[in-house]
């Protein structure tokens, strides 16, 4: 999916191309080619990222009593050399009035490293809960694609 910044970048490329076509300056051709190639390389790198990410989640104490607290730990491991921006994670956890709550967190993940998110869960009532990551979004380095 392309972002608003990506649309503005494409409009800038069109303006640069029109300037190049009007002026005929041949020195702008390498600049235009570089501006065309770099975002597409970044998009391809973002598509390849799916193979290099390992995600694991676990609840520290799965059996708790009412009003006790436990942690949901989400482990991320990036095995490739890709650089990504902030990783936005949406986590579903138990909320008030027997309805699930959604908590959004951001996390920076470096290449060939691992990271961990800890999210506090509180038992509202007896029984089982839905808890875990529901959505993860990251952008490329230029912020053009998600």
């Amino acid at each position: 999916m392309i972002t608003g910044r990506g649309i503005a970048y494409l409009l800038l490329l069109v303006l640069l191309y029109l300037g190049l076509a009007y002026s005929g300056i041949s020195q702008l051709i390498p600049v235009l080619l570089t501006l065309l190639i770099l975002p597409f390389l970044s998009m391809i790198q973002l598509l390849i990222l799916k193979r290099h990410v390992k995600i694991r989640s676990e609840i520290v104490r799965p059996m708790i009593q009412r009003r006790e607290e436990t942690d949901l730990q989400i482990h991320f491991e990036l095995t490739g050399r890709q650089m990504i921006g902030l990783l936005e994670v949406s986590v579903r956890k138990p909320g008030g009035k027997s309805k699930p709550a959604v908590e959004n967190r951001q996390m920076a993940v470096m290449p060939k490293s691992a990271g961990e998110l800890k999210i506090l869960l509180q038992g509202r009532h007896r029984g089982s809960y839905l808890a875990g990551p529901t959505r993860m979004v990251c952008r490329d380095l230029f912020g053009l694609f998600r």
Side-chain angles (χ1 to χ4, degrees):
M1 176 189 305
I2 192 163
T3 62
R5 188 183 296 172
I7 293 170
Y9 188 82
L10 290 177
L11 290 176
L12 176 73
L13 283 178
V14 168
L15 290 175
L16 182 67
Y17 178 75
L18 290 175
L20 176 65
Y22 181 72
S23 68
I25 299 174
S26 63
Q27 289 86 2
L28 286 179
I29 292 174
V31 173
L32 180 66
L33 291 177
T34 303
L35 290 175
L36 282 173
I37 291 173
L38 284 178
F40 287 111
L41 288 177
S42 182
M43 181 183 68
I44 290 169
Q45 193 175 34
L46 195 63
L47 292 174
I48 294 173
L49 181 70
K50 292 179 183 180
R51 284 189 263 157
H52 297 285
V53 172
K54 295 179 184 175
I55 303 165
R56 189 182 70 210
S57 65
E58 64 181 347
I59 297 178
V60 175
R61 292 182 335 174
M63 300 294 290
I64 58 172
Q65 297 294 324
R66 186 175 175 189
R67 293 191 175 100
E68 285 185 0
E69 295 178 347
T70 185
D71 288 328
L72 171 68
Q73 293 181 349
I74 303 171
H75 304 277
F76 298 96
E77 185 177 354
L78 184 58
T79 58
R81 295 181 185 169
Q82 288 98 343
M83 289 289 295
I84 60 173
L86 283 177
L87 181 67
E88 299 171 11
V89 181
S90 295
V91 177
R92 180 176 292 192
K93 66 180 194 172
K97 298 182 183 176
S98 299
K99 294 183 179 179
V102 176
E103 184 174 336
N104 296 318
R105 294 275 186 101
Q106 293 182 344
M107 178 180 175
V109 180
M110 299 303 292
K112 292 195 174 188
S113 67
E116 182 178 305
L117 277 178
K118 283 187 179 182
I119 296 168
L120 183 68
L121 300 177
Q122 185 177 12
R124 304 277 182 187
H125 56 78
R126 288 186 187 181
S128 60
Y129 298 101
L130 289 175
T134 57
R135 188 179 92 146
M136 287 176 273
V137 176
C138 66
R139 294 187 176 124
D140 65 329
L141 285 179
F142 300 110
L144 305 177
F145 304 101
R146 288 185 194 192

